[in-house]
Amino acid sequence: MAKDFSFMQKTRIILDPAYTIAQVDSRIFGGFLEHLGRGVYGGVYHPQASSADENGFRKDVLGALHGLNLTAMRYPGGNFASGYHWMNGIGPKDQRPTVRELAWQSIEPNQFGTDEFIKMAHLMGWTPTITVNLGTGTPEEARNWVEYCNSPVGTRYADLRAKNGSEDPYQVKLWFLGNELDGPWQLGHVPADRYAILAQQAAKMMKDTDPSIETIACGSSTMSSPTYMEWDRTVLEYIGSYADYVSLHRYIENPNNDTADYLAATNSIDQRIEHMDAVCRIVQAKTCSKKRHFLCFDEWNVWYRTRSAEHTNGRGKFAPQLIEEHYNLEDTLVVAGFLNSFVRHANSVKIANIAQIVNVIAPILTRGDQILLQSIYYPFAMFSRRRDGIAIQPVVIGPAYDSPSYGRVNYIDTSAILGNGVLHTFLINRNLSEAAEVEIDHAGGKIESVKSAEVISGSDPTASNTFENPTTICSGPLQTIKVSEGKASVRLPPLSVAAVTFKVS
Ligand code: AHR
C-alpha cells in the first residue's frame, strides 16, 4: 500500500545567485589508484582478463570508470607511495624487479608503473597526479621523477622516458609531497618539523626541475591524531610557497549501525574542511604572505568494515583481496554528503579524490571477468555530470534532528551549482521513513523548467548491489517535481539522493 506522506514538514531552500561561493574546481571529481590489493592488478590492469586491451588494461573496468566522469587520478598511493621506488616500475617489463611491499605486506611485480599509468590517464582523459616517496625515498629521487615525467629530452631521466617510448614529456602538473607522514603507521613517519624540512627540500628541487608544477603538502590524516592541526601549522609555516595545497583525508564509519547518526556525518566533513582552512588562513596571516594554501581532499570515502588485519595485511601475496568494502544504500547518502560539502566549500577545496576506484574501497568491484557497480557509483556519477559552474550558498529552512555523534543536522542536505542558464541542485533526504517536500526558490532568478532529474532511493539502508542482484541500488528518473511561478517543488523519497538540473533565467 502506498504510504501517506501528507503530514510531512516542508523544507525551503533559497538559492540566490547573488550569494556565490566560488567556481567549482572540476578537480574535486578526481579518483585515486593505489598499488593496494586488487586495485591495480586484477582491477584496472589484468592482461589475462577477457576484456584486456593490448596494454593489459581491462576495457570493461575502464568503460565503467568512464561513466564516473573522473577528471584527475592520484597514483601510486597512499601508504604504498611511502615505500615505492619509481625506477623499479619503468623499462622492459621482464627486467623489472619483484619486491616485497611493506605498506600492505604484499608482492609487487612492478608490471604497472609510471608509463602504464600515464598511458591509462591519457586514454581516459584523466589529469595524472603523482605522490612522491618521502617515507623511504629522498628529495632527489622525487626530483628525478619530475624530470622523467616533465623535462624535454636531453638529460638523463628525460632520455630514459624517451627510451621507454615517449619522447614527449608527460606534463604531470600536480605532485603530492608524500602521504600521511604524520601517522605512525606510515613508512618513514617523522615529526612535523622533520617532515617540513624534507618536503621543502623535495618541493624546491622538484620546482627547480619544472617551475610549472604545483605541490601538495601532507596535512593531518585524521582528526583523532595527537598532532591534529599543530602538524599542519608547523608544516605550512615552514614550507610556505613551496606547497600550493595541503592534503586532508577522511573516511566515515557507521560502527554502531545507527543510520540516522551516520548520515549526520556531513557536519564533521564540513568541520574537517573548515578546521584545515582555518589553519591555512592563520599561517597566511602569521607569515604576512600573499599565498593562501588551498585544500586537497585527496582521500575520502566510507571505510570501516574492512579495517582489521585480515583485510589490510597481504601476507606476502600478489594482489590479495584487501579492504574491499561492499557498499549499501546508506553509504550512497554519505558519499553524496561529501560531494555536497566540497561544493559548499568551493572557495577552499580545489582538489578531491575519491578513495579509491576499483576493488579497494571502490565504486567498482571485479570478480574474475565480471564487474559490479556498487551503490556509491551512482551519486558520484550524478554529481560529476553536473559539475560546471559556480557554487551557490544554500539557505535551508526546514526540519532537523539531533544526532549523538555529530550534533544537529537538517533532514535535507544540499548544494547547488549555477551554470550557463542552468541550476544544478543536489538533495539528500536523511529521513529514514518519510518523504520530503522541498521547495526551491531561486531568489532573484526564475526556475523555468526541469532539464534532467535523477534519484537513488530504497527502503532498506543496508540494501546493496551484488553480482547476483547488481541493480538493487542505482539511479533512476525522478518525476515528482513541479515548476510554477519561477519556483520548484520536489518530493524526495525517504533515504534518497537526488540531482535535479533546472533551466533558469
Ligand atoms: O586508501 C587507503 C589508505 O588509507 C591509503 O593508502 C592511506 O593513505 C590511507 O590511510
Side-chain angles (χ1 to χ4, degrees):
M1 201 170 72
K3 198 167 171 180
D4 176 15
F5 295 119
S6 51
F7 51 86
M8 289 170 316
Q9 256 186 287
K10 225 184 205 168
T11 293
R12 189 163 166 242
I13 297 176
I14 304 160
L15 299 171
D16 188 326
Y19 288 86
T20 56
I21 302 169
Q23 183 78 27
V24 174
D25 194 318
S26 64
R27 293 175 302 173
I28 65 170
F29 294 99
F32 172 32
L33 174 64
E34 176 167 8
H35 285 250
L36 192 184
R38 303 190 306 129
V40 172
Y41 306 110
V44 290
Y45 179 80
H46 194 180
Q48 297 76 28
S50 61
S51 69
D53 69 8
E54 67 283 6
N55 303 301
F57 303 164
R58 276 186 72 147
K59 284 190 278 186
D60 54 347
V61 171
L62 296 193
L65 285 170
H66 194 69
L68 286 176
N69 231 351
L70 292 156
T71 50
M73 193 58 61
R74 176 176 184 240
Y75 173 84
N79 295 344
F80 173 83
S82 296
Y84 181 58
H85 297 290
W86 66 271
M87 297 271 295
N88 287 343
I90 58 166
K93 289 194 176 181
D94 59 358
Q95 289 168 31
R96 298 185 194 176
T98 292
V99 299
R100 179 78 188 239
E101 190 285 308
L102 295 181
W104 304 103
Q105 295 290 332
S106 309
I107 292 298
E108 173 54 58
N110 284 302
Q111 295 302 289
F112 188 96
T114 307
D115 301 302
E116 289 77 23
F117 169 60
I118 297 289
K119 189 172 271 178
M120 181 173 288
H122 286 167
L123 200 68
M124 296 297 290
W126 300 329
T127 300
T129 65
I130 289 181
T131 311
V132 299
N133 176 357
L134 292 188
T136 63
T138 61
E140 185 165 28
E141 184 181 2
R143 167 264 161 238
N144 294 344
W145 206 353
V146 175
E147 181 184 315
Y148 183 84
C149 289
N150 289 0
S151 297
V153 288
T155 55
R156 181 172 170 188
Y157 295 100
D159 286 352
L160 202 51
R161 180 194 67 238
K163 192 169 159 219
N164 291 336
S166 181
E167 184 121 347
D168 291 334
Y170 291 151
Q171 313 270 20
V172 178
K173 295 297 177 195
L174 195 60
W175 293 78
F176 296 80
L177 302 168
N179 179 72
E180 290 190 349
L181 283 148
D182 65 317
W185 60 89
Q186 198 69 205
L187 297 170
H189 156 66
V190 282
D193 52 349
R194 281 191 50 199
Y195 167 71
I197 293 170
L198 194 65
Q200 188 273 346
Q201 288 172 344
K204 175 176 167 25
M205 290 166 73
M206 291 162 75
K207 287 191 173 198
D208 284 348
T209 303
D210 179 356
S212 73
I213 64 166
E214 291 191 302
T215 58
I216 303 152
C218 285
S220 291
S221 30
T222 70
M223 287 172 101
S224 57
S225 152
T227 57
Y228 184 59
M229 298 289 96
E230 202 37 43
W231 167 281
D232 309 270
R233 190 193 56 74
T234 309
V235 170
L236 292 179
E237 258 182 59
Y238 186 83
I239 201 164
S241 58
Y242 283 109
D244 302 281
Y245 306 89
V246 59
S247 83
L248 51 160
H249 295 174
R250 180 85 168 94
Y251 294 103
I252 306 273
E253 316 185 358
N254 182 12
N256 304 321
N257 197 20
D258 179 343
T259 304
D261 191 39
Y262 177 49
L263 298 183
T266 48
N267 273 358
S268 82
I269 302 167
D270 290 344
Q271 193 186 43
R272 178 90 175 87
I273 292 171
E274 286 156 21
H275 285 174
M276 196 62 118
D277 190 37
V279 176
C280 293
R281 290 178 184 242
I282 282 178
V283 170
Q284 187 183 9
K286 229 182 132 189
T287 55
C288 295
S289 168
K290 287 207 173 72
K291 174 130 191 139
R292 172 173 167 194
H293 294 103
F294 288 102
L295 311 190
C296 171
F297 215 127
D298 55 335
E299 286 186 33
W300 65 268
N301 204 343
V302 169
W303 176 21
Y304 64 100
R305 303 165 180 97
T306 56
R307 285 263 180 194
S308 65
E310 175 200 349
H311 296 283
T312 53
N313 186 326
R315 294 188 172 77
K317 292 203 189 99
F318 163 67
Q321 225 166 326
L322 297 182
I323 62 170
E324 299 198 3
E325 294 261 325
H326 287 254
Y327 292 111
N328 60 24
L329 175 62
E330 62 183 15
D331 301 329
T332 64
L333 274 68
V334 172
V335 162
F338 269 107
L339 295 168
N340 270 345
S341 185
F342 300 160
V343 172
R344 287 195 300 264
H345 293 90
N347 55 344
S348 57
V349 180
K350 301 297 176 185
I351 305 165
N353 302 75
I354 185 170
Q356 299 193 6
I357 54 170
V358 186
N359 289 329
V360 172
I361 41 174
I364 299 164
L365 283 178
T366 65
R367 184 171 78 180
D369 274 346
Q370 294 174 279
I371 65 164
L372 176 70
L373 305 186
Q374 296 223 64
S375 61
I376 62 164
Y377 180 94
Y378 296 97
F380 193 98
M382 274 163 48
F383 275 74
S384 67
R385 275 199 294 272
R386 296 176 169 85
R387 64 176 171 235
D388 295 330
I390 295 177
I392 301 291
Q393 188 66 60
V395 175
V396 180
I397 305 160
Y401 67 97
D402 292 302
S403 82
S405 309
Y406 306 106
R408 196 160 178 79
V409 286
N410 291 315
Y411 277 99
I412 304 298
D413 186 67
T414 190
S415 69
I417 300 174
L418 185 61
N420 191 5
V422 291
L423 177 66
H424 305 297
T425 57
F426 306 99
L427 304 158
I428 303 172
N429 181 10
R430 296 187 249 234
N431 199 308
L432 311 191
S433 54
E434 291 180 22
E437 287 293 342
V438 180
E439 183 191 280
I440 301 177
D441 182 351
H442 186 37
K446 199 168 162 208
I447 293 179
E448 304 277 0
S449 58
V450 177
K451 262 197 105 186
S452 66
E454 293 172 79
V455 68
I456 307 163
S457 68
S459 52
D460 176 4
T462 65
S464 63
N465 297 339
T466 60
F467 281 95
E468 291 66 40
N469 293 299
T471 55
T472 307
I473 306 297
C474 53
S475 55
L478 177 67
Q479 268 139 3
T480 48
I481 310 170
K482 282 191 208 123
V483 175
S484 94
E485 296 174 8
K487 294 181 186 170
S489 78
V490 182
R491 174 171 281 224
L492 296 170
L495 268 182
S496 62
V497 180
V500 185
T501 300
F502 298 103
K503 195 166 166 296
V504 292
S505 57

